[in-house]
Amino acid sequence: SIDLQGYEQLPETGELLIITKSLKDVMVLHELGYTSVALQSENDHLYKSIYNNLQQRFKKIIVFFDNDKPGIEAAIKLCEKYNLDKIYIDSSYHDLYHVKDISDYICEFGKDSASGLLKSLLECK
């Protein structure tokens, strides 16, 4: 079995897949209408065979980890390995509201705001 949270629930194909860092974020992204999977942790490895499978099924894959030191370092490593784009919640949200992931964001600002945030982050990619 593939050790990727949300993998079994993925559609056969799709436009966009978001790789995030927790099952909680997978569930929040699903609520917002986005397809995603999570590594067991940000430092977990995404194996080439699994990445190839995902790449064949989805037109675009984006990495969406926490905007903190471990999250940024892990995202950079993963993006460099597979030539992927990454998005973050702006660090000002962390500084002002202690929000560093989409789960925190939706708790603090609600579903509509989270949906708008994701749209604007993804439009740039």
Side-chain angles (χ1 to χ4, degrees):
S1 90
I2 292 178
D3 209 12
L4 210 52
Q5 298 172 79
Y7 183 83
E8 298 299 324
Q9 290 73 38
L10 288 178
E12 209 40 55
T13 59
E15 290 293 314
L16 173 67
L17 176 68
I18 298 172
I19 299 175
T20 188
K21 61 99 181 76
S22 72
L23 184 57
K24 185 173 69 167
D25 289 345
V26 169
M27 294 179 344
V28 168
L29 288 166
H30 178 77
E31 276 295 301
L32 296 172
Y34 293 93
T35 303
S36 65
V37 290
L39 301 171
Q40 294 300 320
S41 80
E42 288 171 327
N43 294 317
D44 208 7
H45 296 287
L46 179 61
Y47 294 103
K48 185 81 174 144
S49 58
I50 297 170
Y51 172 74
N52 288 343
N53 169 286
L54 296 173
Q55 189 189 34
Q56 287 166 5
R57 294 168 59 187
F58 294 91
K59 288 192 175 128
K60 188 162 191 67
I61 299 175
I62 291 209
V63 176
F64 187 22
F65 287 168
D66 288 0
N67 192 351
D68 59 13
K69 193 172 178 349
I72 290 167
E73 287 172 357
I76 289 169
K77 210 159 81 175
L78 187 58
C79 290
E80 284 176 352
K81 183 173 182 180
Y82 295 116
N83 193 26
L84 299 172
D85 283 329
K86 59 193 171 307
I87 57 172
Y88 301 107
I89 292 175
D90 191 86
S91 58
S92 63
Y93 287 102
H94 186 252
D95 300 341
L96 294 169
Y97 308 102
H98 304 289
V99 166
K100 63 179 180 176
D101 63 30
I102 195 66
S103 304
D104 294 345
Y105 191 95
I106 208 168
C107 288
E108 187 72 34
F109 301 106
K111 192 173 173 179
D112 289 347
S113 181
S115 187
L117 172 77
L118 269 169
K119 275 195 187 88
S120 67
L121 290 173
L122 292 166
E123 275 170 8
C124 303
K125 291 297 165 196

